[in-house]
Amino acid sequence: MKELKLLRDPEGKPLFEEVLLGKNLYKGGCGLVPDLVVVPREGVEVYCGLKGSMTLECMPHWRANHRRKGIFIAYGKDIKKSAKIKDVRIFDVAPTILFMFGKPIPKDMDGRVLREIFKESSSLARRKPRFVDPSYYAKIVEMEKIRRGVESLKGKLFKS
């Protein structure tokens, strides 16, 4: 971390805004978590190879870069109009969508349901999120594979 924080471009500017420990950023049972996460300064792109080699390239002009800040927009009959919601993270989008569609949320999923986006009078504002064991969706996927397999087998058996 210390070495990465010290890296500078040819003009002496730091290459990274931040160097963070992956275990401090990711929660839940997400499995493979990077040891380190770098947040490049605007105009710096980082390309990492599979064998740990790293090339740092300072771009003279802006190209597509990720940003830490973004916008969140929601629309619908149950959504508050012109509400300003604070502390929204990208992790919050998936549980919010599952909640809106009446689906249970895996207990190990990062993020939260953005309940503050809903009109107080809506059924969504009154509904409580349902949480399930992470294996819930794996079972559904497995059952769907079995169903498709049976349908395919029926098609082959009953072809004329």
Side-chain angles (χ1 to χ4, degrees):
M1 283 180 73
K2 188 195 280 185
E3 298 283 329
L4 288 168
K5 288 177 182 179
L6 293 174
L7 287 174
R8 301 284 187 255
D9 69 10
E11 296 173 6
K13 295 178 189 170
L15 292 178
F16 305 116
E17 287 181 20
E18 291 183 85
V19 180
L20 307 162
L21 288 172
K23 68 182 180 183
N24 293 342
L25 293 174
Y26 299 94
K27 306 289 182 243
C30 51
L32 296 174
V33 173
D35 294 329
L36 296 174
V37 175
V38 294
V39 179
R41 188 188 82 238
E42 187 171 332
V44 174
E45 294 182 14
V46 179
Y47 304 93
C48 294
L50 294 175
K51 295 185 179 180
S53 62
M54 186 163 56
T55 304
L56 302 171
E57 182 179 328
C58 298
M59 304 306 295
H61 60 284
W62 183 85
R63 287 192 1 193
N65 277 318
H66 295 290
R67 298 279 186 262
R68 290 188 62 151
K69 299 207 183 250
I71 58 171
F72 172 79
I73 298 173
Y75 174 80
K77 66 179 181 68
D78 294 320
I79 307 295
K80 290 179 185 174
K81 288 184 179 15
S82 304
K84 297 208 191 277
I85 310 298
K86 295 186 184 236
D87 301 322
V88 175
R89 300 172 315 144
I90 195 165
F91 300 123
D92 302 330
V93 175
T96 301
I97 290 171
L98 287 171
F99 175 78
M100 289 174 72
F101 282 97
K103 303 297 181 193
I105 301 160
K107 290 177 187 173
D108 66 345
M109 180 177 272
D110 287 339
R112 66 184 180 87
V113 175
L114 298 169
R115 298 190 70 191
E116 64 270 34
I117 69 172
F118 305 118
K119 292 178 183 173
E120 286 79 12
S121 61
S122 75
S123 62
L124 290 173
R126 292 187 300 275
R127 186 192 313 156
K128 293 201 183 305
R130 243 179 350 127
F131 296 94
V132 293
D133 188 85
S135 64
Y136 174 85
Y137 283 104
K139 290 174 188 170
I140 290 174
V141 168
E142 189 59 34
M143 291 302 294
E144 181 59 20
K145 285 180 186 174
I146 292 169
R147 187 194 65 75
R148 285 186 192 155
V150 169
E151 290 299 318
S152 174
L153 187 57
K154 280 184 190 176
K156 290 176 184 173
L157 289 175
F158 298 109
K159 263 187 175 173
S160 45

